[in-house]
Amino acid sequence: MTAGPLVVLVGPMGVGKSTVGALVAERLGCAYRDTDDDIVAEQGRTIADIFVDDGEPVFRALERAAVGRALAGHDGVLALGGGSILDEDTRTLLTGHRVVYLSMEVEEAVQRTGLNAARPLLAVNPRRQWRELMEARRHLYTEVASAVVPTDGRTPEEVAQAVLDALELKEA
């Protein structure tokens, strides 16, 4: 294992990376960090505003830099934005880390994300958009993952325990 986070969570928007990540960090007695939160704090505006004002390529560049800094400088639980794995350099940086792909099926995704305006990639026809995003991303999530933890029908607490079990990590 390389130095860096104890656990890195990846997966689609709405899967619960933030909620589960905070629970896993609490159980491990370490800090939690989310690269989307890092970007919002650094830019002083929402992810949706960055997408609208500057476009997806600018956001992805900000995201790539945020992920690189977090992987190098955080030793707790780290959650990455849903599209971060689209970047080849990011996928390379994840090599050697304990990466857990939190997965879910489309019906649960639509139920969790709905028509939330804060999710710019799902603004129109969320069910179709989510399916298309997952067709493009699922193999990338799987490629970087040390373990896959399904979230469908599970509480955040159950998912957090499944993450710890999958990585054979003990609570603090």
Side-chain angles (χ1 to χ4, degrees), residues 17 24 65 71 90 95 101 112 116 126 129 134 141 152 157:
K17 295 180 299 284
V24 171
L71 288 172
T90 295
T95 302
Y101 163 30
R112 290 185 195 181
N116 188 340
Q129 291 296 110
M134 285 309 298
Y141 291 133
D152 299 276
E157 292 76 13

Side-chain angles (χ1 to χ4, degrees), residues 44-61:
R45 54 195 172 134
T46 67
I47 303 291
D49 285 345
I50 296 168
F51 263 82
V52 170
D53 296 343
D54 301 330
E56 186 173 0
V58 169
F59 172 74
R60 295 298 174 204

Side-chain angles (χ1 to χ4, degrees), residues 107-149:
E107 293 308 319
E108 185 131 348
V110 170
Q111 185 178 16
R112 290 185 195 181
T113 60
L115 295 170
N116 188 340
R119 300 188 188 281
L121 293 179
L122 293 183
V124 179
N125 193 343
R127 181 175 276 112
R128 189 193 65 187
Q129 291 296 110
W130 195 86
R131 275 194 185 106
E132 289 174 4
L133 285 173
M134 285 309 298
E135 285 172 15
R137 296 176 180 182
R138 184 176 287 114
H139 71 284
L140 299 174
Y141 291 133
T142 303
E143 174 188 315
V144 301
S146 311
V148 178
V149 173

